[in-house]
């Protein structure tokens, strides 16, 4: 009986967490021109409008490009920082580690204002460079954490054996260390991409017209209209995130990566 009650409690908890998503999925098929639940009748009209909306399509393309650049850059920066923190002891190491953790501790709205004040004097607002730098500030901590855990699981004796046999340090890193930490690199890159792709709070402070991302376009659209098209777009974004996570799980396994 206790096991049945426990499983029932877990099921209710999952239902509570997933209920808003289920409502959005159902509303996305509504035929009315405003958001309401339950739907009056069902159709795929809202999805067709999303794929025919040039604003959403162009913003989607920009978000993908920015997310890929941020993911690759965050992995590169995270790898260097992780190597420094795990393999070396230097003055100020704890301070660097705290700075890396700082974005986790600061509310996004405060972080967004701070990044905007830093980028404004450099004329980087509403530019690709500005939004990439802003997203790196919030994604690098995630890549550092995942890559650090992968590095800590590497047996140093394997690297030492390669160096004893004459391999140069860069060769050891490229041929041995890098393949061993590849799951952490992939997981960190995927996390960085998804965070950059979905980031709305910071993007609203950084971009406006020239480099608007998909989350900012959704926000701008909601200011003038609330129809099932937004619900359909939200379902598609959720589906993309799920597909990416499943792909990572199938390729390398999330437990192994994290």
């Amino acid at each position: 009986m206790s096991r049945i009650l426990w499983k029932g409690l877990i099921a209710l908890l999952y239902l509570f967490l997933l209920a808003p998503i289920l409502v959005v999925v159902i509303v996305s098929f509504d035929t009315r021109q405003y958001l309401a639940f339950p739907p009056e009748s069902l159709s795929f009209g809202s999805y067709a409008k999303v794929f025919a909306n040039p604003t959403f399509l162009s913003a989607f393309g920009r978000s993908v490009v920015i997310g890929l650049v941020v993911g690759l850059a965050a992995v590169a920066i995270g790898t260097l920082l992780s190597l420094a923190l795990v393999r070396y002891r230097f003055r100020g190491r704890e301070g660097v580690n705290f700075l890396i953790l700082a974005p986790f501790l600061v509310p996004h709205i405060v972080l967004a204002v701070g990044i905007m004040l830093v980028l404004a004097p450099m004329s980087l607002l509403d530019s690709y460079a500005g939004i990439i730098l802003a997203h790196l500030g919030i994604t690098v901590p995630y890549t550092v954490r995942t890559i650090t855990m992968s590095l800590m699981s590497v047996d140093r004796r394997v690297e030492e054996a390669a160096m004893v046999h004459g391999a140069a340090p860069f060769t050891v890193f490229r041929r041995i260390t890098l393949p061993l930490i590849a799951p952490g690199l992939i997981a960190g890159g995927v996390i960085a991409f998804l965070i950059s792709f979905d980031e709305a709070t910071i993007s609203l402070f950084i971009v406006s017209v020239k480099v608007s991302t998909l989350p900012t376009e959704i926000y701008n659209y909601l200011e003038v209209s609330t129809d099932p098209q937004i619900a359909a777009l939200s379902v598609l974004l959720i589906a993309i995130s799920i597909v990416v996570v499943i792909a990572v799980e199938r390729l390398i396994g999330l437990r192994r990566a994290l």
Side-chain angles (χ1 to χ4, degrees), residues 105-120:
L105 308 175
V106 180
H108 262 205
I109 187 70
V110 177
L111 196 61
V113 173
I115 293 175
M116 181 187 67
L117 294 176
V118 171
L119 296 179

Side-chain angles (χ1 to χ4, degrees), residues 188-236:
V190 169
I191 292 172
F193 171 80
L194 292 176
I195 292 174
S196 173
F197 187 81
D198 292 333
E199 176 56 43
T201 305
I202 293 176
S203 298
L204 287 171
F205 282 81
I206 306 302
V207 302
S208 56
V209 179
K210 296 179 183 178
V211 196
S212 60
T213 60
L214 188 56
T216 59
E217 288 295 345
I218 292 174
Y219 179 82
N220 294 333
Y221 187 85
L222 285 172
E223 287 185 329
V224 297
S225 178
T226 54
D227 57 44
Q229 190 176 164
I230 288 296
L233 181 56
S234 301
V235 172
L236 292 173

Side-chain angles (χ1 to χ4, degrees), residues 111-241:
L111 196 61
V113 173
I115 293 175
M116 181 187 67
L117 294 176
V118 171
L119 296 179
M122 296 185 288
S123 301
L124 291 177
L125 294 181
D126 200 20
S127 66
Y128 281 102
I131 192 64
I132 289 172
L133 288 174
H135 285 187
L136 282 175
I138 60 172
T139 55
V140 167
Y142 291 93
T143 58
V144 170
R145 292 299 121 190
T146 57
I147 298 171
T148 296
M149 287 187 286
S150 294
L151 274 173
M152 293 176 67
S153 65
V154 172
D155 190 348
R156 292 295 305 275
R157 291 174 296 181
V158 179
E159 299 173 324
E160 292 170 357
M163 288 187 285
V164 167
H165 287 81
F170 181 74
T171 303
V172 173
F173 174 76
R174 181 173 59 87
R175 300 290 298 273
I176 297 175
T177 308
L178 203 58
L180 290 175
I181 65 173
L185 298 177
I186 296 173
V190 169
I191 292 172
F193 171 80
L194 292 176
I195 292 174
S196 173
F197 187 81
D198 292 333
E199 176 56 43
T201 305
I202 293 176
S203 298
L204 287 171
F205 282 81
I206 306 302
V207 302
S208 56
V209 179
K210 296 179 183 178
V211 196
S212 60
T213 60
L214 188 56
T216 59
E217 288 295 345
I218 292 174
Y219 179 82
N220 294 333
Y221 187 85
L222 285 172
E223 287 185 329
V224 297
S225 178
T226 54
D227 57 44
Q229 190 176 164
I230 288 296
L233 181 56
S234 301
V235 172
L236 292 173
L237 295 180
I238 293 171
I240 291 172
S241 300

Side-chain angles (χ1 to χ4, degrees), residues 1-11:
M1 181 63 69
S2 61
R3 290 183 62 184
I4 294 174
L5 291 175
W6 177 250
K7 290 182 178 180
L9 179 61
I10 297 298

